[in-house]
Amino acid sequence: ELSARGLRVVTVAASSRPPEPPKRAVPRRPRSFFSTATSADDYDDDDLNALSLRPDAAAPREDPNDPTKLVFLGLLALSDPARPSALAAVGALKDRGVRIVMLTGDGRETARAIGRDVGILSPIRGLDASGEDIDRWVAQGDLGSQLSRGVAVLYRVSPRH
């Protein structure tokens, strides 16, 4: 539904892996008021374990890039509206007989919403096609005839298209 309103939707997730321990020694419990410790080398094993500077060898280390270990945090919807002058520019070009075709890397629903906003698509006119459709039409030698059917929005395209 958010994409159909022209919003870019991003899924936000975080690694379930705990953060890395600090790189410098900051004791959780003071050694003494007159301590002369100035670096991690000055602390004994008990102090370093209390500081969590030594990883637990028995603890499994998760791959932070493993998508199965991510925790879903929510969705973020971003609005990137077309410039106000885009509708007027599209209208002026159409009045002069220019056929407008919009190419975008956005998904289908977002691309169609933007196409409607700027006057490229209308409820009764305008087809859409994907970058995969273009690849298939080129392989079949049918690109020209497919585009001449009235495709107005090409979505999920890349620079190679």
Side-chain angles (χ1 to χ4, degrees):
E1 180 182 325
L2 295 171
S3 295
R5 295 191 339 225
L7 299 172
R8 274 98 176 158
V9 181
V10 178
T11 302
V12 181
S15 173
S16 61
R17 180 181 177 190
E20 292 292 323
K23 298 298 181 207
R24 54 178 253 243
V26 180
R28 285 189 226 153
R29 56 188 174 131
R31 287 177 58 110
S32 80
F33 182 77
F34 298 104
S35 174
T36 58
T38 58
S39 74
D41 295 331
D42 294 330
Y43 293 98
D44 60 26
D45 284 345
D46 289 335
D47 291 324
L48 291 174
N49 287 333
L51 294 170
S52 300
L53 291 177
R54 298 198 183 207
D56 182 358
R61 300 304 292 172
E62 294 177 359
D63 178 4
N65 298 318
D66 182 354
T68 64
K69 302 295 183 188
L70 295 177
V71 177
F72 175 75
L73 298 178
L75 297 174
L76 179 65
L78 306 171
S79 175
D80 184 16
R83 293 183 182 150
S85 59
L87 181 60
V90 168
L93 289 168
K94 282 184 170 183
D95 289 346
R96 289 171 176 77
V98 177
R99 179 174 166 227
I100 309 292
V101 178
M102 182 179 88
L103 288 84
T104 180
D106 288 325
R108 182 174 192 244
E109 294 302 320
T110 302
R112 289 186 62 80
I114 294 168
R116 283 189 304 272
D117 289 349
V118 298
I120 294 173
L121 283 178
S122 70
I124 58 171
R125 203 176 48 123
L127 302 172
D128 61 62
S130 69
E132 288 181 359
D133 293 330
I134 294 171
D135 291 338
R136 188 176 63 253
W137 296 338
V138 167
Q140 295 169 348
D142 200 25
L143 180 62
S145 66
Q146 290 292 338
L147 292 179
S148 67
R149 292 180 38 233
V151 173
V153 173
L154 295 169
Y155 63 92
R156 289 285 184 224
V157 298
S158 67
R160 69 183 173 83
H161 292 113

